[in-house]
Amino acid sequence: MGTVASLRVDGTDPATFAEAHRRLRGIFERWEDEFSLYRPSSPATAIAEGRLRLLDSSSQHRDTYAQAVDWRNRTGGAFDPHRHDGTVDLAGIVKAMAIDEAGTALAALGCANWCLNVGGDVLTSGSADGTPWSIGLVDPWDRTRLWRTIALDSKKRAVATSGSAERGAHIWRLPDGVPIRQCSVVAADIVTADVLATAIIAGGRSLAETAAAEWDLVVAISFEDGEELHIAADGFPGVAASRV
């Protein structure tokens, strides 16, 4: 997927950890084989190039596309599994779905306390040495500094970040005020966090406020003009402040 994955598991024996490592490598490789647009042999590449119809693809591919379309409908088009020329591109959801499957595999092995980080998108379970997992967000203006620290718990286990700070502009934005440089979303599951982090970059401030309430999120945003906005769905008001 063009990124790095890391896994920490606390309180398990070496044999279980080795099996967890083996299973997770297999899960990510299977998703990569199916959906990578950088592998000429993948079904995703064949669909993008018109050599394979989506209707003739695997059930996994069709189901993933159906979920992406559902998110498009739920976000008013801010999240879209198509490029502007109509090409199917599921890159905005497949990494999160792979992480989600990996989390299910860890639970099946009896692993209770773990943190899985794939390219900055994080899913956790339990705690780290008895304390909540603490996730650091990189400063969108200075990649050598920490911007925020977020503690995850059993109700909000996942955090995902999107924007132009790390990879440059790669998300089509809908016109809605000042562009967002970076958006981090904390949610109960990684698919919701990842999809909505991308959707908010496209949809802007109004979608951030709506999504936070509808999906019970914590949202941290840095705008291109230096303004910051923090929203928590539990009633804590959004706080806007100019960056110093």
Side-chain angles (χ1 to χ4, degrees):
M1 299 179 184
T3 190
V4 175
S6 63
L7 171 67
R8 171 177 163 177
V9 182
D10 286 2
T12 192
D13 59 272
T16 301
F17 182 81
E19 177 61 16
H21 183 263
R22 186 190 68 82
R23 291 194 189 184
L24 265 60
R25 285 187 67 92
I27 288 169
F28 287 119
E29 187 64 28
R30 175 163 46 79
W31 280 87
E32 185 86 359
D33 284 343
E34 182 73 25
F35 292 99
S36 174
L37 289 170
Y38 299 99
R39 294 187 178 183
S41 61
S42 76
T45 299
I47 291 170
E49 294 178 350
R51 295 183 283 109
L52 174 67
R53 295 197 312 160
L54 180 63
L55 290 175
D56 296 328
S57 64
S58 68
S59 60
Q60 180 192 17
H61 216 113
R62 298 194 307 273
D63 290 346
T64 301
Y65 176 76
Q67 289 197 47
V69 169
D70 180 58
W71 276 109
R72 179 185 64 188
N73 295 337
R74 296 170 74 184
T75 60
F79 181 86
D80 197 335
H82 303 92
R83 300 174 188 170
H84 280 274
D85 62 1
T87 300
V88 175
D89 187 343
L90 299 174
I93 195 171
V94 294
K95 183 173 72 169
M97 293 183 69
I99 295 171
D100 184 67
E101 183 180 339
T104 300
L106 289 168
L109 284 170
C111 300
N113 302 298
W114 48 265
C115 178
L116 176 60
N117 182 338
V118 184
D121 294 338
V122 179
L123 179 65
T124 64
S125 176
S127 61
D129 298 326
T131 60
W133 291 104
S134 184
I135 308 302
L137 304 178
V138 175
D139 190 322
W141 300 94
D142 183 351
R143 311 307 289 170
T144 67
R145 299 180 58 185
L146 192 64
W147 183 48
R148 294 286 183 275
T149 301
I150 297 176
L152 302 183
D153 57 28
S154 60
K155 293 182 179 180
K156 289 185 174 63
R157 301 174 49 211
V159 58
T161 299
S162 189
S164 61
E166 186 72 29
R167 295 176 51 198
H170 62 285
I171 299 170
W172 185 267
R173 305 175 191 269
L174 304 178
D176 180 26
V178 178
I180 295 172
R181 182 174 180 83
Q182 180 171 293
C183 173
S184 295
V185 171
V186 185
D189 68 276
I190 190 61
V191 174
T192 298
D194 197 24
V195 166
L196 291 177
T198 300
I200 288 170
I201 293 292
R205 183 190 297 263
S206 60
L207 179 60
E209 294 169 348
T210 300
E214 182 172 348
W215 283 283
D216 187 23
L217 310 175
V218 174
V219 182
I221 295 174
S222 175
F223 292 90
E224 289 287 0
D225 65 359
E227 181 188 1
E228 296 179 0
L229 177 66
H230 310 282
I231 308 169
D234 59 5
F236 184 80
V239 178
S242 297
R243 185 176 182 277
V244 177

